[in-house]
């Protein structure tokens, strides 16, 4: 059967099981859009900016575990998508991004809307392709999905010249693929797993440090069973929230720059650390010279390049988190040994002393809305069952601290790249993937304006997202750093000309609610979530001076957190004295 390249492309997406494509048309991809028009199996979501397409596909991928798919045109279409591609790359999210390209015979001539998409995206993709022959198109699509979703996931870009989509060829789509140049590590070293099991059982002050890799490998259940079986404390990275239930008493909260006191001090004082699906990011470790000085580190990661990149472990294990956890549970059982109960009880007494500090406390008697209070009420009203997206900044940290995620793939945020503008389009992808489920976007007045045009997409597809704008009239995290580090010189962090967000939301056909009193917060949230079929934009006017605590400043260790304005950078000894 001979088909045009455009028809081959759409047929390949169908055979790959793709249900949604997030995109924006342009000259170089019009043959493809015409082919999409002639069928119904693959649905297209028209965004209002290509960055929004990448973020929406990203949200879809994070919440489902399936690759998100993007289709954009050449030139500015590709460059506009670049921020979303880099966002997915930093967080190991499987995306397949199809970019249009000028005719093959025009490549290199600076033709209209030509950019070197392969060259531009090379630093922030797992792999990319330029398809020059229509006979290679179907196989390339298959390779792209295979690479994006296996091993350490990530974005793959496929650049398709317009004339390739017009040429004809026989359609053959492979059911399986084998690539000599791409063989993700599959085998797990059982000897290393055995060593890890022995060290875990010998631990006096153990801690389990789990990251986003646990969620990506669908290993949350195995992790939970392992931790509960051992009775060891667990902390999650920002990307790992939901990998272990936040309401479980064994959970210490998030660690790192804005992590809890108990999580950070447990990391600092532990003697054995099981790090699984995490990469020892600088926002987690603080000063590497002060990081976990007495710990035997067991590091599990599917990507061998991530092991010993920042921290050198005593026991490295390369492998998929789910498979390693399964083998680790088996190894622990075979040893027929229990942890040192007396040492573990003493360790938990120490941890509970740190918990008693109540590092997340804030002033609940203030006459202005505290942003933490809004997130707490969101959690209470949704019973922890919402999908929550965020942008980047103070609101992101408060959402991570105060919304208790008991299940994986419910917390959707840009961790590695820290992309403002991510929250709303990501929420679109989540809502499309999970119709009928509550989806909340926690954002700030600076971040929301970066992709606010996607309110139009939400209207077109009737996406009933609830937007919680924690509006403090500042670029909040920038202001906080300027207060702490730059002696209060607030250089260009004040948002001096904000729109009326209620009227703006209404102009897009949505519901807008202004909330400026603490007593109205719960009522506004109840009203919003009662509207099952409408997007509701809630503009919460919050305390301009509120900061995120705890905080580890640059050059500090886990034991040198700033806990509050009164206490300053409290050491372990000073706080517990």
């Amino acid at each position: 059967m001979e088909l045009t390249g455009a028809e081959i492309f759409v047929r390949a997406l169908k055979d790959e099981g793709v249900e949604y494509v997030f995109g924006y048309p342009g000259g170089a991809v019009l043959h493809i859009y015409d082919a999409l028009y002639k069928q119904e199996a693959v649905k297209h979501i028209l965004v209002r900016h290509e960055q929004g397409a990448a973020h929406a596909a990203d949200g879809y991928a994070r919440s489902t575990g399936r690759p998100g798919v993007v289709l954009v045109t050449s030139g500015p279409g590709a460059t506009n998508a670049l921020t979303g591609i880099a966002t997915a790359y930093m967080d190991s999210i499987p995306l397949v991004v199809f970019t249009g390209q000028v005719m093959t015979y025009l490549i290199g001539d600076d033709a209209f809307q030509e950019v070197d998409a392969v060259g531009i995206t090379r630093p922030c993709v797992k792999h990319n392709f330029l398809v020059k022959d229509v006979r290679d198109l179907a196989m390339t699509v298959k390779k792209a999905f295979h690479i994006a979703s296996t091993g350490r996931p990530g974005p793959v870009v496929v650049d398709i010249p317009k004339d390739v989509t017009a040429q004809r060829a026989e359609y053959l789509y492979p059911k399986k693929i084998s690539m000599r140049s791409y063989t993700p590590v599959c085998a797990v070293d059982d000897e290393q797993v055995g060593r890890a099991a022995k060290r875990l059982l010998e631990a006096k002050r153990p801690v389990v440090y789990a990251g986003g890799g646990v969620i990506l490998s669908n290993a949350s259940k195995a992790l939970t069973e392992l931790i509960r079986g051992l009775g060891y404390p667990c902390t999650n990275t920002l990307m790992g929230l939901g990998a272990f239930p936040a309401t479980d008493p064994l959970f210490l909260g998030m660690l790192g720059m804005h992590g809890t006191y108990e999580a950070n001090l447990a990391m600092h004082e532990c003697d054995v650390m099981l790090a699984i699906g995490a990469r020892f990011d600088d926002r987690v470790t603080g000063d590497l010279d002060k990081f976990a000085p007495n710990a035997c580190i067991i590091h599990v990661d599917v990507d061998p390049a991530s092991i010993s990149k920042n921290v050198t472990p005593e026991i490295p294990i390369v492998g998929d988190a789910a498979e390693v956890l399964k083998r680790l549970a088996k190894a622990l059982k075979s040893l027929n040994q229990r942890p040192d109960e007396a040492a573990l009880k003493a360790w938990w007494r120490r941890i509970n002393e740190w918990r008693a500090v109540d590092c997340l406390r804030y002033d609940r008697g203030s006459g202005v809305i505290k942003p933490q209070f809004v997130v707490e009420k969101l959690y209470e009203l949704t019973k922890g069952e919402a999908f929550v997206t965020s942008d980047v900044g103070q609101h992101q940290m408060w959402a991570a601290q105060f919304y208790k995620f008991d299940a994986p793939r419910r917390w959707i945020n840009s961790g590695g790249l820290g992309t403002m503008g991510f929250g709303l389009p990501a929420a679109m992808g989540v809502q499309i993937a999970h119709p009928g489920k509550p989806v909340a976007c926690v954002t700030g007045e600076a971040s929301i304006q970066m992709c606010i045009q996607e309110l139009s997409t939400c209207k077109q597809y009737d996406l009933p997202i609830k937007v919680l704008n924690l509006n403090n009239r500042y670029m909040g995290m920038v202001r906080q750093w300027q207060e702490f580090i730059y002696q209060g010189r607030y250089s260009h962090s004040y948002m001096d000309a904000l729109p009326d967000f209620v009227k703006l939301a209404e102009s897009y056909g949505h519901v807008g609610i202004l909330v400026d009193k603490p007593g109205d917060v719960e009522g506004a949230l109840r009203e919003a979530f009662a509207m099952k079929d409408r997007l509701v934009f809630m503009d919460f006017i919050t305390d301009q001076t509120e900061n995120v605590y705890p905080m580890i400043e640059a050059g500090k260790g886990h034991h040198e957190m700033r806990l509050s304005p009164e206490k300053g950078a409290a050491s372990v000894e000073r706080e517990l004295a």
Side-chain angles (χ1 to χ4, degrees):
M1 182 191 303
E2 280 205 346
L3 303 174
T4 66
E7 292 167 338
I8 288 172
F9 172 80
V10 175
R11 180 73 176 271
L13 293 186
K14 177 185 173 184
D15 288 350
E16 191 60 38
V18 173
E19 188 176 4
Y20 292 102
V21 173
F22 300 87
Y24 200 94
V29 288
L30 284 184
H31 293 324
I32 293 174
Y33 272 86
D34 192 51
L36 284 168
Y37 182 86
K38 296 173 183 177
Q39 56 83 57
E40 297 180 352
V42 180
K43 302 174 184 66
H44 181 274
I45 304 298
L46 176 64
V47 297
R48 300 306 186 262
H49 191 286
E50 290 90 351
Q51 181 179 341
H55 292 331
D58 186 317
Y60 178 92
R62 292 181 199 239
S63 66
T64 64
R66 300 190 295 273
V69 182
V70 179
L71 174 61
V72 297
T73 194
S74 64
T79 58
N80 282 346
L82 189 61
T83 297
I85 295 168
T87 299
Y89 180 72
M90 287 290 284
D91 290 342
S92 303
I93 305 304
L95 290 191
V96 181
V97 181
F98 297 99
T99 57
Q101 186 53 274
V102 300
M103 305 281 193
T104 52
Y105 61 85
L106 291 175
I107 292 175
D109 288 351
D110 293 333
F112 177 67
Q113 290 193 331
E114 180 192 358
V115 296
D116 178 5
V118 169
I120 287 173
T121 61
R122 185 173 287 121
C124 58
V125 294
K126 192 173 176 183
H127 194 63
N128 56 23
F129 299 90
L130 171 62
V131 183
K132 292 185 176 181
D133 190 324
V134 68
R135 292 170 293 184
D136 298 331
L137 182 55
M139 179 63 78
T140 304
V141 172
K142 185 66 179 180
K143 288 179 179 179
F145 279 95
H146 175 64
I147 293 170
S149 57
T150 54
R152 179 178 181 173
V156 175
V157 166
V158 181
D159 200 32
I160 309 174
K162 187 173 183 178
D163 53 332
V164 170
T165 64
Q167 295 163 3
R168 304 184 74 87
E170 184 179 2
Y171 178 73
L172 293 169
Y173 196 68
K175 292 184 178 180
K176 294 183 179 181
I177 192 99
S178 177
M179 300 172 62
R180 187 176 63 180
S181 59
Y182 175 70
T183 53
V185 176
C186 298
V188 175
D189 188 332
D190 284 325
E191 184 178 341
Q192 290 292 82
V193 172
R195 288 182 62 206
K198 190 172 184 296
R199 290 295 278 123
L200 280 170
L201 291 174
E202 293 170 349
K204 307 295 184 184
R205 299 184 307 280
V207 69
V208 179
Y209 151 47
V214 174
I215 294 173
L216 292 171
S217 66
N218 298 313
S220 299
K221 183 179 178 182
L223 176 73
T224 302
E225 290 174 352
L226 179 81
I227 292 169
R228 287 175 175 168
L230 291 169
Y232 287 179
C234 175
T235 180
N236 287 162
T237 65
L238 178 70
M239 294 303 303
L241 292 176
F244 184 78
T247 56
D248 192 294
L250 300 177
F251 186 60
L252 304 183
M254 181 177 71
L255 82 159
M257 176 176 279
H258 295 295
T260 66
Y261 192 65
E262 53 268 32
N264 283 338
L265 291 187
M267 290 285 282
H268 182 73
E269 294 202 1
C270 72
D271 66 345
V272 176
M273 178 195 305
L274 172 60
I276 183 160
R279 58 189 176 90
F280 294 95
D281 174 75
D282 60 288
R283 292 297 171 98
V284 161
T285 63
D287 186 347
L288 281 171
D289 291 335
K290 301 174 182 178
F291 177 71
N294 304 308
C296 162
I297 297 175
I298 304 162
H299 189 190
V300 179
D301 203 286
V302 74
D303 182 5
S306 289
I307 293 179
S308 297
K309 186 174 185 179
N310 298 321
V311 172
T312 302
E314 183 176 313
I315 304 175
I317 303 173
V318 178
D320 176 75
E323 180 63 25
V324 173
L325 283 167
K326 183 175 82 172
R327 291 172 184 250
L328 184 57
K330 185 177 179 181
L332 287 166
K333 187 176 180 180
S334 69
L335 289 171
N336 195 26
Q337 179 183 338
R338 290 294 303 162
D340 185 331
E341 297 296 339
L344 192 56
K345 284 182 181 178
W347 180 227
W348 273 111
R349 281 196 298 271
R350 180 77 163 151
I351 289 171
N352 287 330
E353 288 177 352
W354 296 329
R355 273 180 169 165
V357 171
D358 192 16
C359 67
L360 297 182
R361 66 184 180 271
Y362 63 92
D363 180 10
R364 297 173 183 272
S366 174
V368 296
I369 297 173
K370 294 291 185 177
Q372 303 97 315
F373 178 71
V374 178
V375 178
E376 283 185 324
K377 285 299 176 184
L378 172 66
Y379 172 74
E380 289 176 16
L381 266 61
T382 60
K383 299 180 174 61
E385 296 176 355
F387 290 88
V388 179
T389 73
S390 83
D391 278 291
V392 172
Q394 288 180 315
H395 59 271
Q396 177 191 29
M397 295 299 105
W398 285 316
Q401 290 175 336
F402 289 92
Y403 199 99
K404 298 178 179 66
F405 295 95
D406 277 345
R409 301 194 183 278
R410 295 298 179 95
W411 170 233
I412 313 294
N413 82 115
S414 169
L417 195 64
T419 306
M420 294 171 69
F422 175 84
L424 180 59
M428 297 188 319
V430 174
Q431 190 73 81
I432 286 167
H434 305 276
K437 299 292 185 181
V439 178
C441 171
V442 178
T443 186
E445 77 291 337
S447 285
I448 190 65
Q449 292 190 85
M450 290 202 172
C451 282
I452 202 165
Q453 71 281 346
E454 298 308 331
L455 286 174
S456 178
T457 305
C458 294
K459 181 61 179 176
Q460 180 172 344
Y461 297 99
D462 297 318
L463 304 178
I465 298 161
K466 311 310 177 204
V467 180
L468 287 73
N469 185 36
L470 304 183
N471 186 348
N472 62 9
R473 289 83 71 207
Y474 270 106
M475 298 177 204
M477 193 59 81
V478 172
R479 183 203 58 76
Q480 178 168 333
W481 281 47
Q482 288 173 336
E483 177 184 332
F484 291 171
I485 303 169
Y486 299 94
Q487 294 75 52
R489 294 187 293 275
Y490 301 123
S491 177
H492 298 280
S493 56
Y494 179 68
M495 302 296 286
D496 200 24
L498 292 174
D500 182 327
F501 286 107
V502 170
K503 289 182 179 178
L504 185 58
E506 290 173 347
S507 74
Y508 277 105
H510 303 303
V511 176
I513 301 176
L514 176 66
V515 190
D516 57 8
K517 297 181 179 64
D520 295 337
V521 170
E522 183 173 344
L525 286 166
R526 288 189 182 278
E527 181 183 352
F529 279 93
M531 290 184 255
K532 304 290 187 184
D533 59 347
R534 298 293 301 275
L535 184 148
V536 182
F537 192 113
M538 291 162 277
D539 189 20
F540 294 96
I541 307 303
T542 62
D543 188 346
Q544 282 190 292
T545 65
E546 194 68 18
N547 290 322
V548 180
Y549 297 106
M551 180 177 176
I552 301 175
E553 297 180 43
K556 302 291 185 181
H558 280 164
H559 61 304
E560 299 170 307
M561 284 168 280
R562 183 192 287 263
L563 295 183
S564 71
E566 295 78 26
K567 293 179 181 177
S571 69
V572 180
E573 292 75 18
R574 283 169 50 198
E575 182 56 39
L576 296 181

